[in-house]
Amino acid sequence: MTAAEILKPPPNRNAGQWANDSRVLPPSSPEPGAWRTDRTPYWWQVYEAFSTPGIEEITIVCGAQMGKTEALFNVIGHRMDDGAYVPAMYVGATEQAVKSISKDRVDKMLESSKSLYAKLEKGQRNGVYEKFIGGVRLGFAWAGSATQLSSQPVGLCLIDEVDRMSGDTQGEGDPITLARARCKNFSNRKIGAVSTPTVEGGSAIWSLYESSAMFMWAWHCRHCNQAFVPQLSLLQWPEGKPIEETAEAAEVVCPHCGGTHANKHKRELNINGRYLRMRRLGDREQAPEGKQLVLEHYVESDDNLPARAVGFWVSGLCSPWASFYDVAAQLLRAYKSTNVNTIQAVINTYGGELFRLKGEAPDWGEVAACRQEYLPGSLPSREIQFIVLGADVQKHGIYYCVRGFGAESESYLLDNDYLNGETEHDNVWIALGQVLSRQYEGMPITRALIDSGYRPGDSHKRPDHAVYTFCRNMSRGIAFPAKGRDTMESPVLARNIDYTHGGKVVKNGVKLWHINTDYFKRWVHARIRWPEDADRGGWFLHNQASEDYCRQMVAEELVIKASGKAIWIRRNKENHYLDCEVLTAAAAYSLNVHTLRPVPPKQQQRVAQAQAEKAQQVQQVQRSSVYQRKSLF
């Protein structure tokens, strides 16, 4: 490329306009000939987002046959052809899929554009895993290759079919995080992620969408002119007829006036469509009067503030290549089959919607019914033989629960709270240390497990994980970092993590406890529903346990899919106390709670007397001592 070409200002157009001017689809395409972005108007604003300064992340959620992969090719072509001059990367779900896309679809896209093909370097540098266009690298990677994902810095990273990717890449982090790391050195970086969604609470693309400024594609009703978001719940058909006749009569109903729209109106509806900014309703919030409730949880928002991350959702009903008849016929056949996997596939791919699996979890009212008449901080039973703590670490604070255990795993919530403070700094850890030093009527905390999933302190400011540092500094050796796993052969497993430079285990060093989260979530939910007439084994709360605590305990629900696979679906974003109670149960298990026997009455009396004496000694020390805060780091 010559200096004149480099210095020439790029055309003032977005990726859709570039495709209109430059792309010609081959005869093998469903619609060969010159590219027409107006065929899918819902992509215009997406293309604009990729050209808007200040927007760094763009998430697109939609069904199959919506043109999403071709749209990514347009973004690549526009960047490479119109003078962005930053390396780019396309990330697919599998190596096989990426190789096929690189050799077939991308090569055809490059060949269809005269200007791109003229810049394409031929020969060895035009390979399957990388191509050079005007001297700028276009790389290809996939979810199973940490090496490909982390090999080169890029200014444009496009991630296709996010929900088909595994959550971890050879132990080095999820593909989204690795891809973001590749872009951090570019001030004009753009990260795009597209996918059809999967299950509610378990969809990676939907999590990205909800963490952005959310937009949904809306139509204007032909009858009342009100904007509404099309969704599968608005697709109707007559009852009691064969599938073919039923699907042929499928229509979309306006939620405002009840007016119907046939498939022949779809092109007009899309041309006149627009994006509405949306927000998620709170757990107990009602949709404002006159506003459409979308997908059960979302309503139009008045917020027009600019955002660094934007997300777009388009219903599969908007696809020009799938008629209302196609969608209705697929839904009817799936429902008739009664197969959960088939129904999910249709809702995901033809509707572009999340599938809500039906599971069984206690209601928050059942949790509240576990309250007993004792105050937080008191010891309600002489059957309690040890006390444990579980802590969930977040960026801005730490949640914790303190629970006492006795024979047959009977347990009592003694204390729970939230310690507010940035976990990259000392103050909140000092406060947690003070919690761990408490005694409950003379009985100390025996063991604490602290979630190490969030990693405060892993930066140039502090070279070590703050949770590990805290645990090393606890003089009694009662605090241990913990990390959850979905599946394990045993409920808990401790691993040494402190070694000398020579590779030897440090004596009395920190152990990392791996926790089987599935096992302990099931255990907690089962104990919440423990029979009231059972002699022992109950799971109890103090009388000030809040509604928020109770709701968080049922924030996740166990669902068994038709394949037999068990998965946990999050129903509520706030699940911190559930995580804390999982850790208290794991801590109790690590102390062999299942081997405890009932305390004889005489021993209970001796324990009560010893606890009273100990409590009195502690009070005397507190009155006569001056405590000074000392940094744990």
Side-chain angles (χ1 to χ4, degrees):
M1 182 177 293
T2 65
E5 289 175 316
I6 294 175
L7 296 174
K8 181 180 178 181
N12 184 19
R13 57 183 178 179
N14 63 28
Q17 293 165 324
W18 171 86
N20 285 342
D21 295 340
S22 306
R23 286 196 68 179
V24 178
L25 297 176
S28 58
S29 299
E31 294 184 355
W35 180 273
R36 294 163 53 208
T37 301
D38 284 336
R39 194 83 167 90
T40 52
Y42 43 81
W43 285 108
W44 276 114
Q45 281 75 18
V46 177
Y47 293 141
E48 279 294 307
F50 275 101
S51 296
T52 302
I55 296 179
E56 295 181 5
E57 298 190 11
I58 301 98
T59 301
I60 307 102
V61 189
C62 57
Q65 302 184 63
M66 303 288 288
K68 55 183 179 293
T69 301
E70 290 295 335
L72 295 186
F73 297 163
N74 289 341
V75 172
I76 292 172
H78 173 241
R79 271 293 186 104
M80 293 293 184
D81 206 9
D82 279 9
Y85 306 122
V86 295
M89 178 185 292
Y90 171 90
V91 183
T94 65
E95 182 179 10
Q96 183 177 358
V98 168
K99 288 173 68 175
S100 175
I101 285 172
S102 174
K103 290 195 301 183
D104 184 18
R105 297 176 66 179
V106 173
D107 280 350
K108 287 181 179 178
M109 186 270 289
L110 295 174
E111 292 168 3
S112 74
S113 168
K114 292 182 180 179
S115 55
L116 275 182
Y117 190 70
K119 297 176 182 178
L120 177 66
E121 295 189 27
K122 317 303 189 292
Q124 292 183 350
R125 297 239 294 179
N126 181 16
V128 174
Y129 300 118
E130 61 180 3
K131 305 176 192 297
F132 288 85
I133 303 167
V136 179
R137 182 179 186 269
L138 169 60
F140 295 85
W142 56 95
S145 172
T147 302
Q148 291 292 110
L149 278 170
S150 59
S151 59
Q152 298 284 342
V154 295
L156 172 67
C157 186
L158 302 176
I159 309 163
D160 200 0
E161 292 299 351
V162 171
D163 275 15
R164 292 186 184 179
M165 299 180 179
S166 60
D168 186 73
T169 304
Q170 297 178 1
E172 297 190 26
D174 67 274
I176 300 294
T177 302
L178 288 174
R180 284 171 174 163
R182 295 304 94 216
C183 295
K184 64 183 179 181
N185 293 331
F186 289 85
S187 60
N188 60 341
R189 57 184 170 269
K190 299 287 182 181
I191 302 169
V194 304
S195 185
T196 54
T198 48
V199 295
E200 183 182 18
S203 172
I205 193 68
W206 203 267
S207 295
L208 288 172
Y209 175 70
E210 283 201 322
S211 64
S212 66
M214 297 183 291
F215 293 86
M216 291 185 175
W217 183 250
W219 288 338
H220 286 275
C221 175
R222 300 178 69 252
H223 306 278
C224 67
N225 202 37
Q226 286 266 56
F228 72 95
V229 176
Q231 55 189 318
L232 293 181
S233 62
L234 301 179
L235 184 65
Q236 69 173 18
W237 51 76
E239 301 289 342
K241 294 184 178 181
I243 288 178
E244 287 73 17
E245 294 181 29
T246 297
E248 189 68 43
E251 296 176 312
V252 173
V253 180
C254 171
H256 302 295
C257 71
T260 60
H261 303 79
N263 190 73
K264 64 182 179 181
H265 302 131
K266 184 188 292 189
R267 177 168 173 75
E268 175 191 345
L269 292 168
N270 273 335
I271 289 174
N272 296 322
R274 64 187 175 98
Y275 276 104
L276 301 179
R277 187 154 182 172
M278 310 296 287
R279 66 180 178 88
R280 185 183 175 100
L281 291 175
D283 291 336
R284 283 160 279 178
E285 184 183 0
Q286 298 295 319
E289 187 175 351
K291 294 290 186 180
Q292 179 195 3
L293 189 61
V294 182
L295 303 179
E296 298 185 11
H297 300 298
Y298 306 91
V299 71
E300 191 174 350
S301 171
D302 296 328
D303 186 4
N304 290 314
L305 295 175
R308 183 185 63 83
V310 296
F312 301 92
W313 178 80
V314 188
S315 171
L317 294 170
C318 303
S319 171
W321 300 290
S323 67
F324 296 166
Y325 166 85
D326 295 330
V327 179
Q330 292 293 335
L331 277 173
L332 285 163
R333 293 189 181 100
Y335 290 142
K336 187 176 181 179
S337 74
T338 69
N339 184 294
V340 174
N341 288 337
T342 302
I343 297 171
Q344 177 188 333
V346 173
I347 289 175
N348 292 160
T349 58
Y350 280 85
E353 298 182 12
L354 289 168
F355 179 64
R356 181 165 192 176
L357 291 163
K358 292 183 178 180
E360 184 177 356
D363 183 77
W364 78 268
E366 295 179 75
V367 183
C370 296
R371 295 187 185 114
Q372 300 287 304
E373 287 304 318
Y374 67 93
L375 291 170
S378 63
L379 212 60
S381 172
R382 299 305 171 193
E383 291 279 353
I384 292 177
Q385 299 181 43
F386 61 72
I387 299 173
V388 295
L389 178 144
D392 181 40
V393 180
Q394 299 295 310
K395 181 177 181 180
H396 301 295
I398 300 173
Y399 292 82
Y400 72 86
C401 291
V402 179
R403 184 167 284 273
F405 280 84
E408 297 186 28
S409 299
E410 183 168 285
S411 67
Y412 297 82
L413 179 65
L414 306 181
D415 191 13
N416 67 283
D417 205 352
Y418 174 68
L419 304 174
N420 186 38
E422 297 292 329
T423 49
E424 286 194 14
H425 305 298
D426 294 355
N427 289 348
V428 70
W429 294 103
I430 293 172
L432 181 60
Q434 292 172 343
V435 172
L436 284 172
S437 67
R438 291 176 188 167
Q439 295 197 357
Y440 297 82
E441 298 184 17
M443 184 176 288
I445 294 172
T446 303
R447 177 161 293 172
L449 293 183
I450 303 171
D451 174 43
S452 61
Y454 180 75
R455 301 178 65 86
D458 275 6
S459 67
H460 65 280
K461 297 179 181 178
R462 177 172 290 138
D464 200 5
H465 195 310
V467 175
Y468 296 167
T469 303
F470 174 80
C471 294
R472 291 188 184 104
N473 282 279
M474 288 304 297
S475 58
R476 286 196 292 144
I478 63 168
F480 298 90
K483 187 172 184 179
R485 288 183 177 178
D486 293 336
T487 56
M488 284 173 53
E489 292 184 1
S490 60
V492 294
L493 182 66
R495 298 285 191 190
N496 292 306
I497 59 172
D498 283 348
Y499 294 87
T500 66
H501 289 294
K504 294 183 179 181
V505 175
V506 174
K507 187 178 181 181
N508 299 322
V510 172
K511 292 181 182 292
L512 173 65
W513 285 85
H514 293 281
I515 308 300
N516 186 328
T517 54
D518 175 65
Y519 176 90
F520 288 108
K521 285 176 185 176
R522 292 184 192 225
W523 187 92
V524 170
H525 279 185
R527 292 285 166 162
I528 290 171
R529 286 179 163 169
W530 202 252
E532 292 183 8
D533 57 354
D535 292 336
R536 285 190 175 86
W539 187 88
F540 303 113
L541 309 178
H542 56 69
N543 61 8
Q544 294 184 24
S546 66
E547 180 180 331
D548 178 55
Y549 168 90
C550 297
R551 287 185 178 277
Q552 288 196 32
M553 290 306 300
V554 294
E556 296 183 38
E557 184 175 26
L558 178 65
V559 170
I560 309 298
K561 298 185 70 174
S563 63
K565 182 180 179 181
I567 59 174
W568 285 88
I569 302 298
R570 186 179 293 192
R571 303 298 189 205
N572 185 346
K573 285 185 176 181
E574 303 298 321
N575 66 339
H576 310 296
Y577 284 129
L578 174 59
D579 288 344
C580 291
E581 291 288 20
V582 163
L583 291 170
T584 64
Y589 187 96
S590 72
L591 293 168
N592 297 316
V593 66
H594 44 283
T595 66
L596 297 181
R597 296 291 180 264
V599 180
K602 289 185 178 180
Q603 184 177 340
Q604 288 188 34
Q605 293 176 3
R606 290 196 299 271
V607 170
Q609 183 178 356
Q611 289 174 349
E613 293 173 356
K614 182 67 173 178
Q616 187 176 6
Q617 293 173 5
V618 171
Q619 290 175 359
Q620 291 175 351
V621 170
Q622 289 175 339
R623 284 195 296 266
S624 62
S625 301
V626 177
Y627 290 90
Q628 294 181 348
R629 287 189 173 184
K630 182 181 179 182
S631 172
L632 292 168
F633 302 105

